[in-house]
Amino acid sequence: MNVNAAIQRFLDDRDARNHKTALAYGSAMGYLRRALVANEIEPSMVDISTLALSWTSWMVDSLRHLSPASEHLYATGYASFVQFCYDRSWCGVPPERVRSTLKTLLRRVDLTPPALPEDEVNVFLAWVEGLTTQAGVRDCAMFTLMAHTGLRRAEIQRLKWTDVDFVSLTGTVLAKGGKTRRFHMSTLCASRLWTWKVHCSSATQVFPMAME
């Protein structure tokens, strides 16, 4: 069986994949074909049994112009293809070696979102301070709290009035992993939160329905 035929068999085996994964794997196989051709291997002429570990570095090289996240996505598709072929005894390259090689070659994906400069945050907070509707007062308090404390969206959603201490300007929130963490509020943050408390119709949740 040649490489193109193996790729087609792999792409046709979609039982365990959703639509987006199938599309990503299709793109990954397109990059694999181009990588092989760039290294003078014609996928329609070469048997899949010739699959070698060197193909892994060729594949990664073909992805270097993409973002690290896309690089990882298509490399995962390639690793799944190798696993598919190995499980059917079409090739002799252990998938574990391919994954290990990918781990050393792929660029690190930075999952930290870019932070806004402090002056831009202040401009935004000054703008929301001018909102006078009930939703505006809520958003002013919510965005100030997020900017000043670093609370995440899910933490904001779970926050209750009993978690907030306006005397000590502190609060506790249920964080990721079910752990409780303490946060400190600025005077401005506490003031805006108290203003929202006066307007808020909920006696329990600080921001009911705020993120929906």
PDB file of all heavy atoms in Angstrom, residues 93-130:
ATOM      1  N   VAL A  93       7.638   1.928  12.705  1.00  0.00           N
ATOM      2  CA  VAL A  93       8.092   3.008  13.585  1.00  0.00           C
ATOM      3  C   VAL A  93       7.157   3.091  14.795  1.00  0.00           C
ATOM      4  O   VAL A  93       5.960   3.343  14.638  1.00  0.00           O
ATOM      5  CB  VAL A  93       8.099   4.358  12.845  1.00  0.00           C
ATOM      6  CG1 VAL A  93       8.510   5.486  13.796  1.00  0.00           C
ATOM      7  CG2 VAL A  93       9.041   4.302  11.658  1.00  0.00           C
ATOM      8  N   PRO A  94       7.677   2.887  16.005  1.00  0.00           N
ATOM      9  CA  PRO A  94       6.828   2.951  17.196  1.00  0.00           C
ATOM     10  C   PRO A  94       6.251   4.354  17.388  1.00  0.00           C
ATOM     11  O   PRO A  94       7.000   5.342  17.354  1.00  0.00           O
ATOM     12  CB  PRO A  94       7.777   2.591  18.345  1.00  0.00           C
ATOM     13  CG  PRO A  94       8.923   1.890  17.694  1.00  0.00           C
ATOM     14  CD  PRO A  94       9.072   2.532  16.339  1.00  0.00           C
ATOM     15  N   PRO A  95       4.948   4.474  17.582  1.00  0.00           N
ATOM     16  CA  PRO A  95       4.329   5.793  17.786  1.00  0.00           C
ATOM     17  C   PRO A  95       4.922   6.538  18.974  1.00  0.00           C
ATOM     18  O   PRO A  95       4.987   7.774  18.964  1.00  0.00           O
ATOM     19  CB  PRO A  95       2.853   5.452  18.029  1.00  0.00           C
ATOM     20  CG  PRO A  95       2.661   4.131  17.345  1.00  0.00           C
ATOM     21  CD  PRO A  95       3.946   3.404  17.524  1.00  0.00           C
ATOM     22  N   GLU A  96       5.389   5.796  19.995  1.00  0.00           N
ATOM     23  CA  GLU A  96       5.968   6.453  21.167  1.00  0.00           C
ATOM     24  C   GLU A  96       7.225   7.245  20.794  1.00  0.00           C
ATOM     25  O   GLU A  96       7.470   8.330  21.329  1.00  0.00           O
ATOM     26  CB  GLU A  96       6.322   5.415  22.244  1.00  0.00           C
ATOM     27  CG  GLU A  96       5.133   4.677  22.834  1.00  0.00           C
ATOM     28  CD  GLU A  96       4.615   3.575  21.915  1.00  0.00           C
ATOM     29  OE1 GLU A  96       5.334   3.230  20.930  1.00  0.00           O
ATOM     30  OE2 GLU A  96       3.506   3.079  22.157  1.00  0.00           O
ATOM     31  N   ARG A  97       8.012   6.710  19.863  1.00  0.00           N
ATOM     32  CA  ARG A  97       9.218   7.412  19.425  1.00  0.00           C
ATOM     33  C   ARG A  97       8.859   8.666  18.640  1.00  0.00           C
ATOM     34  O   ARG A  97       9.545   9.696  18.732  1.00  0.00           O
ATOM     35  CB  ARG A  97      10.088   6.495  18.574  1.00  0.00           C
ATOM     36  CG  ARG A  97      10.765   5.373  19.353  1.00  0.00           C
ATOM     37  CD  ARG A  97      11.858   4.726  18.529  1.00  0.00           C
ATOM     38  NE  ARG A  97      12.927   5.676  18.226  1.00  0.00           N
ATOM     39  CZ  ARG A  97      13.895   5.443  17.332  1.00  0.00           C
ATOM     40  NH1 ARG A  97      13.910   4.291  16.656  1.00  0.00           N
ATOM     41  NH2 ARG A  97      14.835   6.337  17.117  1.00  0.00           N
ATOM     42  N   VAL A  98       7.794   8.568  17.869  1.00  0.00           N
ATOM     43  CA  VAL A  98       7.339   9.735  17.109  1.00  0.00           C
ATOM     44  C   VAL A  98       6.886  10.839  18.063  1.00  0.00           C
ATOM     45  O   VAL A  98       7.267  12.002  17.912  1.00  0.00           O
ATOM     46  CB  VAL A  98       6.194   9.348  16.154  1.00  0.00           C
ATOM     47  CG1 VAL A  98       5.565  10.601  15.534  1.00  0.00           C
ATOM     48  CG2 VAL A  98       6.705   8.423  15.069  1.00  0.00           C
ATOM     49  N   ARG A  99       6.097  10.467  19.057  1.00  0.00           N
ATOM     50  CA  ARG A  99       5.611  11.465  20.021  1.00  0.00           C
ATOM     51  C   ARG A  99       6.768  12.069  20.821  1.00  0.00           C
ATOM     52  O   ARG A  99       6.772  13.265  21.113  1.00  0.00           O
ATOM     53  CB  ARG A  99       4.581  10.832  20.952  1.00  0.00           C
ATOM     54  CG  ARG A  99       3.283  10.438  20.255  1.00  0.00           C
ATOM     55  CD  ARG A  99       2.194  10.058  21.242  1.00  0.00           C
ATOM     56  NE  ARG A  99       0.974   9.705  20.557  1.00  0.00           N
ATOM     57  CZ  ARG A  99       0.632   8.470  20.186  1.00  0.00           C
ATOM     58  NH1 ARG A  99       1.443   7.462  20.476  1.00  0.00           N
ATOM     59  NH2 ARG A  99      -0.490   8.224  19.554  1.00  0.00           N
ATOM     60  N   SER A 100       7.749  11.234  21.165  1.00  0.00           N
ATOM     61  CA  SER A 100       8.904  11.725  21.902  1.00  0.00           C
ATOM     62  C   SER A 100       9.707  12.705  21.058  1.00  0.00           C
ATOM     63  O   SER A 100      10.178  13.740  21.549  1.00  0.00           O
ATOM     64  CB  SER A 100       9.786  10.547  22.323  1.00  0.00           C
ATOM     65  OG  SER A 100      10.945  10.997  22.974  1.00  0.00           O
ATOM     66  N   THR A 101       9.859  12.398  19.787  1.00  0.00           N
ATOM     67  CA  THR A 101      10.577  13.291  18.874  1.00  0.00           C
ATOM     68  C   THR A 101       9.829  14.600  18.694  1.00  0.00           C
ATOM     69  O   THR A 101      10.430  15.685  18.694  1.00  0.00           O
ATOM     70  CB  THR A 101      10.785  12.612  17.510  1.00  0.00           C
ATOM     71  OG1 THR A 101      11.509  11.389  17.688  1.00  0.00           O
ATOM     72  CG2 THR A 101      11.553  13.518  16.565  1.00  0.00           C
ATOM     73  N   LEU A 102       8.512  14.506  18.548  1.00  0.00           N
ATOM     74  CA  LEU A 102       7.699  15.715  18.412  1.00  0.00           C
ATOM     75  C   LEU A 102       7.841  16.610  19.632  1.00  0.00           C
ATOM     76  O   LEU A 102       7.908  17.836  19.517  1.00  0.00           O
ATOM     77  CB  LEU A 102       6.232  15.341  18.203  1.00  0.00           C
ATOM     78  CG  LEU A 102       5.854  14.787  16.828  1.00  0.00           C
ATOM     79  CD1 LEU A 102       4.415  14.299  16.829  1.00  0.00           C
ATOM     80  CD2 LEU A 102       6.063  15.849  15.743  1.00  0.00           C
ATOM     81  N   LYS A 103       7.894  15.989  20.786  1.00  0.00           N
ATOM     82  CA  LYS A 103       7.996  16.762  22.026  1.00  0.00           C
ATOM     83  C   LYS A 103       9.257  17.613  22.058  1.00  0.00           C
ATOM     84  O   LYS A 103       9.267  18.717  22.602  1.00  0.00           O
ATOM     85  CB  LYS A 103       7.968  15.815  23.226  1.00  0.00           C
ATOM     86  CG  LYS A 103       7.854  16.512  24.570  1.00  0.00           C
ATOM     87  CD  LYS A 103       7.692  15.513  25.700  1.00  0.00           C
ATOM     88  CE  LYS A 103       7.541  16.214  27.036  1.00  0.00           C
ATOM     89  NZ  LYS A 103       7.373  15.240  28.159  1.00  0.00           N
ATOM     90  N   THR A 104      10.325  17.103  21.469  1.00  0.00           N
ATOM     91  CA  THR A 104      11.591  17.852  21.465  1.00  0.00           C
ATOM     92  C   THR A 104      11.642  18.888  20.341  1.00  0.00           C
ATOM     93  O   THR A 104      12.390  19.864  20.447  1.00  0.00           O
ATOM     94  CB  THR A 104      12.787  16.893  21.306  1.00  0.00           C
ATOM     95  OG1 THR A 104      12.703  16.220  20.040  1.00  0.00           O
ATOM     96  CG2 THR A 104      12.799  15.863  22.425  1.00  0.00           C
ATOM     97  N   LEU A 105      10.851  18.692  19.293  1.00  0.00           N
ATOM     98  CA  LEU A 105      10.927  19.570  18.128  1.00  0.00           C
ATOM     99  C   LEU A 105       9.903  20.701  18.126  1.00  0.00           C
ATOM    100  O   LEU A 105      10.179  21.788  17.610  1.00  0.00           O
ATOM    101  CB  LEU A 105      10.746  18.754  16.845  1.00  0.00           C
ATOM    102  CG  LEU A 105      11.836  17.737  16.501  1.00  0.00           C
ATOM    103  CD1 LEU A 105      11.439  16.958  15.250  1.00  0.00           C
ATOM    104  CD2 LEU A 105      13.175  18.429  16.289  1.00  0.00           C
ATOM    105  N   LEU A 106       8.733  20.440  18.690  1.00  0.00           N
ATOM    106  CA  LEU A 106       7.660  21.426  18.611  1.00  0.00           C
ATOM    107  C   LEU A 106       7.922  22.632  19.504  1.00  0.00           C
ATOM    108  O   LEU A 106       8.473  22.502  20.590  1.00  0.00           O
ATOM    109  CB  LEU A 106       6.321  20.783  19.000  1.00  0.00           C
ATOM    110  CG  LEU A 106       5.803  19.698  18.059  1.00  0.00           C
ATOM    111  CD1 LEU A 106       4.529  19.081  18.617  1.00  0.00           C
ATOM    112  CD2 LEU A 106       5.552  20.271  16.663  1.00  0.00           C
ATOM    113  N   ARG A 107       7.513  23.775  19.031  1.00  0.00           N
ATOM    114  CA  ARG A 107       7.641  24.988  19.827  1.00  0.00           C
ATOM    115  C   ARG A 107       6.616  24.989  20.957  1.00  0.00           C
ATOM    116  O   ARG A 107       5.555  24.392  20.848  1.00  0.00           O
ATOM    117  CB  ARG A 107       7.415  26.223  18.945  1.00  0.00           C
ATOM    118  CG  ARG A 107       8.515  26.481  17.943  1.00  0.00           C
ATOM    119  CD  ARG A 107       8.087  27.559  16.951  1.00  0.00           C
ATOM    120  NE  ARG A 107       7.027  27.078  16.073  1.00  0.00           N
ATOM    121  CZ  ARG A 107       6.348  27.864  15.241  1.00  0.00           C
ATOM    122  NH1 ARG A 107       6.602  29.155  15.200  1.00  0.00           N
ATOM    123  NH2 ARG A 107       5.408  27.345  14.458  1.00  0.00           N
ATOM    124  N   ARG A 108       6.968  25.664  22.028  1.00  0.00           N
ATOM    125  CA  ARG A 108       6.076  25.746  23.187  1.00  0.00           C
ATOM    126  C   ARG A 108       4.898  26.657  22.880  1.00  0.00           C
ATOM    127  O   ARG A 108       5.063  27.730  22.307  1.00  0.00           O
ATOM    128  CB  ARG A 108       6.849  26.279  24.400  1.00  0.00           C
ATOM    129  CG  ARG A 108       6.036  26.360  25.675  1.00  0.00           C
ATOM    130  CD  ARG A 108       6.909  26.848  26.822  1.00  0.00           C
ATOM    131  NE  ARG A 108       6.158  26.952  28.064  1.00  0.00           N
ATOM    132  CZ  ARG A 108       5.450  28.009  28.419  1.00  0.00           C
ATOM    133  NH1 ARG A 108       5.406  29.058  27.621  1.00  0.00           N
ATOM    134  NH2 ARG A 108       4.797  28.037  29.570  1.00  0.00           N
ATOM    135  N   VAL A 109       3.710  26.211  23.263  1.00  0.00           N
ATOM    136  CA  VAL A 109       2.512  27.030  23.084  1.00  0.00           C
ATOM    137  C   VAL A 109       2.317  27.890  24.319  1.00  0.00           C
ATOM    138  O   VAL A 109       2.189  27.370  25.433  1.00  0.00           O
ATOM    139  CB  VAL A 109       1.261  26.149  22.864  1.00  0.00           C
ATOM    140  CG1 VAL A 109       0.019  27.018  22.724  1.00  0.00           C
ATOM    141  CG2 VAL A 109       1.434  25.278  21.627  1.00  0.00           C
ATOM    142  N   ASP A 110       2.323  29.194  24.135  1.00  0.00           N
ATOM    143  CA  ASP A 110       2.116  30.108  25.249  1.00  0.00           C
ATOM    144  C   ASP A 110       0.619  30.293  25.457  1.00  0.00           C
ATOM    145  O   ASP A 110      -0.066  30.892  24.635  1.00  0.00           O
ATOM    146  CB  ASP A 110       2.775  31.461  24.947  1.00  0.00           C
ATOM    147  CG  ASP A 110       2.711  32.412  26.137  1.00  0.00           C
ATOM    148  OD1 ASP A 110       2.208  31.986  27.194  1.00  0.00           O
ATOM    149  OD2 ASP A 110       3.161  33.557  25.998  1.00  0.00           O
ATOM    150  N   LEU A 111       0.102  29.758  26.565  1.00  0.00           N
ATOM    151  CA  LEU A 111      -1.324  29.816  26.840  1.00  0.00           C
ATOM    152  C   LEU A 111      -1.723  31.074  27.601  1.00  0.00           C
ATOM    153  O   LEU A 111      -2.898  31.297  27.884  1.00  0.00           O
ATOM    154  CB  LEU A 111      -1.751  28.584  27.656  1.00  0.00           C
ATOM    155  CG  LEU A 111      -1.511  27.240  26.968  1.00  0.00           C
ATOM    156  CD1 LEU A 111      -1.940  26.100  27.898  1.00  0.00           C
ATOM    157  CD2 LEU A 111      -2.270  27.151  25.650  1.00  0.00           C
ATOM    158  N   THR A 112      -0.749  31.912  27.921  1.00  0.00           N
ATOM    159  CA  THR A 112      -1.045  33.131  28.658  1.00  0.00           C
ATOM    160  C   THR A 112      -1.564  34.196  27.704  1.00  0.00           C
ATOM    161  O   THR A 112      -0.878  34.567  26.752  1.00  0.00           O
ATOM    162  CB  THR A 112       0.211  33.664  29.365  1.00  0.00           C
ATOM    163  OG1 THR A 112       0.744  32.647  30.198  1.00  0.00           O
ATOM    164  CG2 THR A 112      -0.127  34.899  30.198  1.00  0.00           C
ATOM    165  N   PRO A 113      -2.787  34.674  27.905  1.00  0.00           N
ATOM    166  CA  PRO A 113      -3.315  35.696  27.000  1.00  0.00           C
ATOM    167  C   PRO A 113      -2.535  36.991  27.138  1.00  0.00           C
ATOM    168  O   PRO A 113      -2.041  37.318  28.224  1.00  0.00           O
ATOM    169  CB  PRO A 113      -4.762  35.882  27.477  1.00  0.00           C
ATOM    170  CG  PRO A 113      -4.759  35.453  28.897  1.00  0.00           C
ATOM    171  CD  PRO A 113      -3.724  34.363  28.981  1.00  0.00           C
ATOM    172  N   PRO A 114      -2.391  37.751  26.060  1.00  0.00           N
ATOM    173  CA  PRO A 114      -1.661  39.012  26.140  1.00  0.00           C
ATOM    174  C   PRO A 114      -2.366  39.991  27.074  1.00  0.00           C
ATOM    175  O   PRO A 114      -3.594  40.104  27.061  1.00  0.00           O
ATOM    176  CB  PRO A 114      -1.662  39.517  24.692  1.00  0.00           C
ATOM    177  CG  PRO A 114      -2.831  38.837  24.055  1.00  0.00           C
ATOM    178  CD  PRO A 114      -2.933  37.499  24.726  1.00  0.00           C
ATOM    179  N   ALA A 115      -1.596  40.681  27.901  1.00  0.00           N
ATOM    180  CA  ALA A 115      -2.170  41.628  28.861  1.00  0.00           C
ATOM    181  C   ALA A 115      -2.257  43.013  28.239  1.00  0.00           C
ATOM    182  O   ALA A 115      -1.371  43.441  27.507  1.00  0.00           O
ATOM    183  CB  ALA A 115      -1.308  41.670  30.119  1.00  0.00           C
ATOM    184  N   LEU A 116      -3.343  43.722  28.534  1.00  0.00           N
ATOM    185  CA  LEU A 116      -3.476  45.097  28.084  1.00  0.00           C
ATOM    186  C   LEU A 116      -2.537  45.984  28.896  1.00  0.00           C
ATOM    187  O   LEU A 116      -2.359  45.764  30.095  1.00  0.00           O
ATOM    188  CB  LEU A 116      -4.916  45.581  28.272  1.00  0.00           C
ATOM    189  CG  LEU A 116      -5.970  45.090  27.283  1.00  0.00           C
ATOM    190  CD1 LEU A 116      -7.348  45.567  27.736  1.00  0.00           C
ATOM    191  CD2 LEU A 116      -5.682  45.576  25.878  1.00  0.00           C
ATOM    192  N   PRO A 117      -1.955  46.998  28.276  1.00  0.00           N
ATOM    193  CA  PRO A 117      -1.147  47.950  29.033  1.00  0.00           C
ATOM    194  C   PRO A 117      -1.999  48.610  30.115  1.00  0.00           C
ATOM    195  O   PRO A 117      -3.207  48.805  29.933  1.00  0.00           O
ATOM    196  CB  PRO A 117      -0.709  48.963  27.966  1.00  0.00           C
ATOM    197  CG  PRO A 117      -0.824  48.228  26.670  1.00  0.00           C
ATOM    198  CD  PRO A 117      -1.971  47.286  26.840  1.00  0.00           C
ATOM    199  N   GLU A 118      -1.380  48.978  31.231  1.00  0.00           N
ATOM    200  CA  GLU A 118      -2.120  49.526  32.366  1.00  0.00           C
ATOM    201  C   GLU A 118      -2.891  50.781  31.997  1.00  0.00           C
ATOM    202  O   GLU A 118      -4.021  50.991  32.456  1.00  0.00           O
ATOM    203  CB  GLU A 118      -1.158  49.825  33.513  1.00  0.00           C
ATOM    204  CG  GLU A 118      -1.853  50.291  34.780  1.00  0.00           C
ATOM    205  CD  GLU A 118      -0.897  50.508  35.926  1.00  0.00           C
ATOM    206  OE1 GLU A 118       0.303  50.195  35.763  1.00  0.00           O
ATOM    207  OE2 GLU A 118      -1.337  51.002  36.977  1.00  0.00           O
ATOM    208  N   ASP A 119      -2.305  51.630  31.131  1.00  0.00           N
ATOM    209  CA  ASP A 119      -3.005  52.860  30.774  1.00  0.00           C
ATOM    210  C   ASP A 119      -4.279  52.576  29.986  1.00  0.00           C
ATOM    211  O   ASP A 119      -5.290  53.268  30.146  1.00  0.00           O
ATOM    212  CB  ASP A 119      -2.075  53.799  29.985  1.00  0.00           C
ATOM    213  CG  ASP A 119      -1.539  53.165  28.710  1.00  0.00           C
ATOM    214  OD1 ASP A 119      -1.500  51.919  28.640  1.00  0.00           O
ATOM    215  OD2 ASP A 119      -1.166  53.906  27.786  1.00  0.00           O
ATOM    216  N   GLU A 120      -4.263  51.534  29.150  1.00  0.00           N
ATOM    217  CA  GLU A 120      -5.457  51.174  28.397  1.00  0.00           C
ATOM    218  C   GLU A 120      -6.529  50.599  29.320  1.00  0.00           C
ATOM    219  O   GLU A 120      -7.725  50.834  29.133  1.00  0.00           O
ATOM    220  CB  GLU A 120      -5.111  50.167  27.302  1.00  0.00           C
ATOM    221  CG  GLU A 120      -4.250  50.744  26.192  1.00  0.00           C
ATOM    222  CD  GLU A 120      -4.042  49.761  25.048  1.00  0.00           C
ATOM    223  OE1 GLU A 120      -4.867  48.847  24.889  1.00  0.00           O
ATOM    224  OE2 GLU A 120      -3.045  49.924  24.323  1.00  0.00           O
ATOM    225  N   VAL A 121      -6.110  49.826  30.329  1.00  0.00           N
ATOM    226  CA  VAL A 121      -7.058  49.299  31.309  1.00  0.00           C
ATOM    227  C   VAL A 121      -7.720  50.449  32.057  1.00  0.00           C
ATOM    228  O   VAL A 121      -8.945  50.461  32.256  1.00  0.00           O
ATOM    229  CB  VAL A 121      -6.344  48.365  32.318  1.00  0.00           C
ATOM    230  CG1 VAL A 121      -7.304  47.967  33.441  1.00  0.00           C
ATOM    231  CG2 VAL A 121      -5.824  47.125  31.610  1.00  0.00           C
ATOM    232  N   ASN A 122      -6.930  51.445  32.443  1.00  0.00           N
ATOM    233  CA  ASN A 122      -7.467  52.588  33.178  1.00  0.00           C
ATOM    234  C   ASN A 122      -8.447  53.393  32.335  1.00  0.00           C
ATOM    235  O   ASN A 122      -9.473  53.883  32.837  1.00  0.00           O
ATOM    236  CB  ASN A 122      -6.335  53.491  33.669  1.00  0.00           C
ATOM    237  CG  ASN A 122      -5.505  52.824  34.759  1.00  0.00           C
ATOM    238  OD1 ASN A 122      -5.993  51.951  35.469  1.00  0.00           O
ATOM    239  ND2 ASN A 122      -4.248  53.221  34.878  1.00  0.00           N
ATOM    240  N   VAL A 123      -8.154  53.550  31.055  1.00  0.00           N
ATOM    241  CA  VAL A 123      -9.068  54.256  30.152  1.00  0.00           C
ATOM    242  C   VAL A 123     -10.397  53.508  30.067  1.00  0.00           C
ATOM    243  O   VAL A 123     -11.480  54.109  30.124  1.00  0.00           O
ATOM    244  CB  VAL A 123      -8.439  54.407  28.747  1.00  0.00           C
ATOM    245  CG1 VAL A 123      -9.487  54.870  27.742  1.00  0.00           C
ATOM    246  CG2 VAL A 123      -7.281  55.390  28.786  1.00  0.00           C
ATOM    247  N   PHE A 124     -10.307  52.174  29.948  1.00  0.00           N
ATOM    248  CA  PHE A 124     -11.521  51.368  29.862  1.00  0.00           C
ATOM    249  C   PHE A 124     -12.340  51.470  31.149  1.00  0.00           C
ATOM    250  O   PHE A 124     -13.561  51.646  31.115  1.00  0.00           O
ATOM    251  CB  PHE A 124     -11.162  49.902  29.586  1.00  0.00           C
ATOM    252  CG  PHE A 124     -12.343  48.973  29.609  1.00  0.00           C
ATOM    253  CD1 PHE A 124     -13.281  48.984  28.590  1.00  0.00           C
ATOM    254  CD2 PHE A 124     -12.529  48.088  30.670  1.00  0.00           C
ATOM    255  CE1 PHE A 124     -14.374  48.145  28.614  1.00  0.00           C
ATOM    256  CE2 PHE A 124     -13.617  47.242  30.705  1.00  0.00           C
ATOM    257  CZ  PHE A 124     -14.546  47.267  29.670  1.00  0.00           C
ATOM    258  N   LEU A 125     -11.675  51.363  32.305  1.00  0.00           N
ATOM    259  CA  LEU A 125     -12.378  51.427  33.583  1.00  0.00           C
ATOM    260  C   LEU A 125     -13.008  52.802  33.799  1.00  0.00           C
ATOM    261  O   LEU A 125     -14.083  52.922  34.397  1.00  0.00           O
ATOM    262  CB  LEU A 125     -11.423  51.089  34.729  1.00  0.00           C
ATOM    263  CG  LEU A 125     -10.920  49.640  34.765  1.00  0.00           C
ATOM    264  CD1 LEU A 125      -9.983  49.435  35.958  1.00  0.00           C
ATOM    265  CD2 LEU A 125     -12.073  48.649  34.834  1.00  0.00           C
ATOM    266  N   ALA A 126     -12.350  53.844  33.319  1.00  0.00           N
ATOM    267  CA  ALA A 126     -12.913  55.186  33.431  1.00  0.00           C
ATOM    268  C   ALA A 126     -14.168  55.299  32.574  1.00  0.00           C
ATOM    269  O   ALA A 126     -15.138  55.975  32.945  1.00  0.00           O
ATOM    270  CB  ALA A 126     -11.875  56.228  33.002  1.00  0.00           C
ATOM    271  N   TRP A 127     -14.162  54.620  31.431  1.00  0.00           N
ATOM    272  CA  TRP A 127     -15.335  54.658  30.546  1.00  0.00           C
ATOM    273  C   TRP A 127     -16.518  53.926  31.177  1.00  0.00           C
ATOM    274  O   TRP A 127     -17.635  54.446  31.186  1.00  0.00           O
ATOM    275  CB  TRP A 127     -14.986  54.021  29.198  1.00  0.00           C
ATOM    276  CG  TRP A 127     -16.176  53.942  28.272  1.00  0.00           C
ATOM    277  CD1 TRP A 127     -16.719  54.947  27.538  1.00  0.00           C
ATOM    278  CD2 TRP A 127     -16.956  52.775  28.016  1.00  0.00           C
ATOM    279  NE1 TRP A 127     -17.805  54.498  26.836  1.00  0.00           N
ATOM    280  CE2 TRP A 127     -17.979  53.164  27.104  1.00  0.00           C
ATOM    281  CE3 TRP A 127     -16.906  51.454  28.449  1.00  0.00           C
ATOM    282  CZ2 TRP A 127     -18.928  52.272  26.633  1.00  0.00           C
ATOM    283  CZ3 TRP A 127     -17.856  50.561  27.979  1.00  0.00           C
ATOM    284  CH2 TRP A 127     -18.862  50.964  27.078  1.00  0.00           C
ATOM    285  N   VAL A 128     -16.286  52.720  31.727  1.00  0.00           N
ATOM    286  CA  VAL A 128     -17.406  51.965  32.300  1.00  0.00           C
ATOM    287  C   VAL A 128     -17.945  52.653  33.549  1.00  0.00           C
ATOM    288  O   VAL A 128     -19.112  52.459  33.916  1.00  0.00           O
ATOM    289  CB  VAL A 128     -17.017  50.502  32.644  1.00  0.00           C
ATOM    290  CG1 VAL A 128     -16.670  49.726  31.398  1.00  0.00           C
ATOM    291  CG2 VAL A 128     -15.877  50.447  33.652  1.00  0.00           C
ATOM    292  N   GLU A 129     -17.122  53.487  34.207  1.00  0.00           N
ATOM    293  CA  GLU A 129     -17.584  54.207  35.385  1.00  0.00           C
ATOM    294  C   GLU A 129     -18.714  55.166  35.015  1.00  0.00           C
ATOM    295  O   GLU A 129     -19.575  55.484  35.847  1.00  0.00           O
ATOM    296  CB  GLU A 129     -16.436  54.984  36.026  1.00  0.00           C
ATOM    297  CG  GLU A 129     -16.812  55.658  37.346  1.00  0.00           C
ATOM    298  CD  GLU A 129     -15.660  56.428  37.956  1.00  0.00           C
ATOM    299  OE1 GLU A 129     -14.674  56.693  37.229  1.00  0.00           O
ATOM    300  OE2 GLU A 129     -15.731  56.736  39.151  1.00  0.00           O
ATOM    301  N   GLY A 130     -18.733  55.598  33.773  1.00  0.00           N
ATOM    302  CA  GLY A 130     -19.756  56.540  33.335  1.00  0.00           C
ATOM    303  C   GLY A 130     -21.084  55.892  32.973  1.00  0.00           C
ATOM    304  O   GLY A 130     -22.058  56.590  32.680  1.00  0.00           O
TER     305      GLY A 130
END
